[in-house]
Amino acid sequence: MPADPSAQGSGETPLRRAADTSRRAAPSPTARSSGTSAVEVRRSSRRRRTVSAYREGDRTVVLIPARMSEAEEERWVTVMLDKLAAQESKRMLGDAELAERAERLSGQFLDGRARPTSVRWVTNQNTRWGSCTPAEGSIRLSHRLQGMPEYVIDYVLLHELAHLLVPGHGPRFWRLLEPYPRTERARGYLEGVVAADRLPHLPAARGE
């Protein structure tokens, strides 16, 4: 169910759509660097199976079928926010930008104690998302992260920064990551990617 930033041009006028939907505004589960945006869920009786989302000013609008349950709504809002975030972060960050993000994350969550000597993308890490060499102060991120939501990249980067302070994965290491508010969400996203990669490829549909 694709995200459709151009959904406003789908033939529904704002007046008719407002009359046919119920709206619920709530704080966005994703906080962008420009500030916390709002999520507006619009239910439509004309929608049967499709879900779409687009940005509208400082808010994100998610369009869902009217019969969708609250649990399904919550799940699809999360899915569509992740898709929009991934689309918007497809511009590849350079090594210099990664270093700047590392410095910001270290200052925000690690009191500036983690100071890598280098932060760069690499293409030879297919079994791990990131790695670091504490003795050298170097951090490497897998190119497979490129195009993923920024909060996922930040989590992996912060994870490696924490390893500059604590090499292992003991309780002391995980306490360093506790202040980051999206740790569990980022881990869930990456686990989903790994699970999807392990699924067998479906046969092509007729006509493809």
Side-chain angles (χ1 to χ4, degrees), residues 2 5-6 55-56 65 84 91 101 104-107 137 141 153 155 159-160 162 171 185 193 200 207:
S6 61
R55 305 293 189 195
E56 187 178 76
L84 282 177
R91 182 182 67 84
R101 294 177 82 90
R104 174 178 58 79
L105 290 167
S106 177
L141 263 60
I153 297 174
Y155 165 72
H159 186 107
E160 301 308 328
R185 188 175 177 201
V193 172

Side-chain angles (χ1 to χ4, degrees), residues 16-200:
R16 289 182 60 192
R17 182 168 54 194
D20 190 43
T21 61
S22 60
R23 301 184 180 187
R24 179 177 63 81
S28 170
T30 59
R32 298 179 61 78
S33 58
S34 58
T36 302
S37 61
V39 175
E40 182 177 346
V41 177
R42 298 180 183 175
R43 290 174 173 264
S44 173
S45 60
R46 285 176 292 187
R47 284 182 175 266
R48 294 292 183 267
R49 300 176 62 183
T50 60
V51 178
S52 62
Y54 60 91
R55 305 293 189 195
E56 187 178 76
D58 61 351
R59 73 179 61 193
T60 302
V61 177
V62 181
L63 308 175
I64 64 174
R67 295 182 178 181
M68 187 172 285
S69 69
E70 291 295 322
E72 289 174 322
E73 173 186 319
E74 183 177 352
R75 181 171 68 88
W76 276 108
V77 166
T78 299
V79 168
M80 300 312 292
L81 287 173
D82 281 344
K83 284 188 175 183
L84 282 177
Q87 289 174 353
E88 293 167 354
S89 66
K90 279 187 177 179
R91 182 182 67 84
M92 188 178 71
L93 297 174
D95 290 349
E97 291 171 301
L98 278 183
E100 292 175 1
R101 294 177 82 90
E103 182 179 1
R104 174 178 58 79
L105 290 167
S106 177
Q108 186 175 358
F109 298 105
L110 301 173
D111 298 322
R113 292 178 295 145
R115 300 178 180 178
T117 57
S118 66
V119 184
R120 60 191 176 90
W121 296 107
V122 294
T123 59
N124 61 350
Q125 289 189 162
N126 294 318
T127 59
R128 60 177 64 185
W129 299 113
S131 63
C132 78
T133 305
E136 300 176 358
S138 61
I139 290 177
R140 299 163 297 280
L141 263 60
S142 171
H143 71 288
R144 295 184 299 150
L145 289 166
Q146 293 169 353
M148 291 189 187
E150 291 183 358
Y151 74 88
V152 176
I153 297 174
D154 282 352
Y155 165 72
V156 176
L157 192 51
L158 185 61
H159 186 107
E160 301 308 328
L161 285 167
H163 274 313
L164 294 180
L165 304 176
V166 180
H169 288 102
R172 183 164 163 252
F173 171 83
W174 292 112
R175 281 197 296 270
L176 292 176
L177 297 183
E178 286 179 357
Y180 186 64
R182 301 175 195 167
T183 291
E184 292 305 315
R185 188 175 177 201
R187 287 172 60 84
Y189 185 99
L190 293 172
E191 288 171 359
V193 172
V194 171
D197 286 343
R198 291 174 178 170
L199 291 175

